[in-house]
Amino acid sequence: MTSLQQHVTSHVETDIANPRTLAERAYLNLRRDVICGKLIPGEKLRVEHLKDQYQVGASTLREALSLLVSDALVSAEGQRGFRVAPISLTDLEDVTNTRVMLETEALRQSIRKGDDRWEAALQVSYQLLTQTEIQTNAQPGAPEPPQWETLNKNFHDALIAAHDSPWTKYMLSILYRHGERYRNINWRLTAVHAIERRVHEEHETIFQAAINRQEARAALALEAHVRMTHDIVKQQATFG
């Protein structure tokens, strides 16, 4: 199995939630810092500086950075090292369109193939997300708590869990992280979220359609949900 195939398998099975090696730990920490904007778009990633910050050796750090290259969150510059991937409205549009295309079809397939275990897992993921969203809604203007992003991704993963394409799930995992990155880098849209959106109601509409096996309605609701996030980020964008 190639290193890329192993990387795909790790994403599909656990999203490397529990790092098994120093390289995986460094990869997760670097990915978090790219996604949250601590490592800014276009920033030069100097191994000699970062190895101490992430407490790993130079070769281990390069391995972690190479994994981020396969996620398109970091670019390799030949002999010149690595750099954080840039962001742009054109890229945001492409990420959104590609995610909609892949995720809506994956949801349709998952609804067709999902069994009782799929339904049960989907209900659990939705209930956990709902609890967090109801608590947040009780505090108008409050940002989503840190666990919301994890619960939100778990819900989206549960929706398509019965679709039997590891490559689709891998690519969607990458696209989700890129969408998360755009939200985090431009997170002053938090207030817009609170005022203009009812995210829980969007999730509820998707969940009810999926659990009732209404694949067309579920796909349309999911597309509207994903595009709404894109539209809000675009309206509030601080980048070109």
Side-chain angles (χ1 to χ4, degrees):
M1 182 180 289
T2 67
S3 59
L4 178 56
Q5 288 172 325
Q6 291 173 333
H7 189 43
V8 170
T9 301
S10 294
H11 266 75
V12 171
E13 290 179 351
T14 63
D15 199 30
I16 318 183
N18 299 302
R20 295 161 294 185
T21 66
L22 288 175
E24 285 184 355
R25 187 189 70 186
Y27 160 76
L28 277 180
N29 289 336
L30 281 160
R31 187 182 72 178
R32 178 200 63 214
D33 289 347
V34 170
I35 289 172
C36 77
K38 182 177 179 180
L39 295 172
I40 64 175
E43 180 178 347
K44 179 76 173 178
L45 298 173
R46 302 184 184 281
V47 171
E48 63 272 20
H49 297 159
L50 294 175
K51 66 183 180 66
D52 295 330
Q53 180 179 339
Y54 291 94
Q55 300 181 326
V56 292
S59 61
T60 299
L61 185 64
R62 288 191 185 93
E63 182 179 350
L65 288 168
S66 295
L67 290 176
L68 286 167
V69 170
S70 69
D71 288 348
L73 288 167
V74 165
S75 60
E77 301 186 310
Q79 299 301 314
R80 294 179 295 173
F82 300 90
R83 188 179 296 275
V84 178
I87 60 173
S88 69
L89 291 176
T90 300
D91 181 63
L92 171 61
E93 189 88 24
D94 194 17
V95 166
T96 302
N97 289 337
T98 307
R99 181 181 169 191
V100 165
M101 178 178 64
L102 291 175
E103 193 167 354
T104 54
E105 179 58 25
L107 176 57
R108 286 176 176 272
Q109 295 294 329
S110 193
I111 290 172
R112 294 173 193 173
K113 299 174 182 177
D115 55 14
D116 290 343
R117 288 201 306 173
W118 171 75
E119 285 192 9
L122 178 57
Q123 287 176 333
V124 169
S125 68
Y126 173 71
Q127 289 166 358
L128 290 173
L129 179 60
T130 295
Q131 290 172 6
T132 298
E133 289 180 336
I134 289 176
Q135 291 171 1
T136 304
N137 290 342
Q139 306 172 50
E144 286 91 348
Q147 70 269 27
W148 180 86
E149 195 69 63
T150 298
L151 294 173
N152 184 57
K153 186 174 188 304
N154 288 346
F155 173 64
H156 281 268
D157 287 347
L159 284 167
I160 65 168
H163 182 39
D164 55 0
S165 170
W167 277 106
T168 297
K169 292 175 181 176
Y170 169 63
M171 289 185 284
L172 282 171
S173 178
I174 291 175
L175 291 167
Y176 183 93
R177 296 300 182 191
H178 279 264
E180 181 184 355
R181 181 183 182 218
Y182 276 100
R183 292 195 301 274
N184 286 333
I185 288 174
N186 207 59
W187 201 240
R188 65 189 180 88
L189 59 82
T190 298
V192 178
H193 266 281
I195 297 170
E196 297 185 2
R197 286 193 80 174
R198 297 183 181 274
V199 177
H200 174 64
E201 291 182 8
E202 294 172 29
H203 286 148
E204 183 178 20
T205 300
I206 298 167
F207 169 75
Q208 291 297 341
I211 210 72
N212 289 318
R213 309 288 177 154
Q214 298 169 316
E215 65 175 75
R217 180 174 294 182
L220 286 171
L222 177 60
E223 178 174 0
H225 174 65
V226 174
R227 291 197 184 282
M228 176 66 78
T229 298
H230 159 269
D231 291 345
I232 291 175
V233 173
K234 188 174 181 178
Q235 290 169 12
Q236 300 294 313
T238 56
F239 51 90

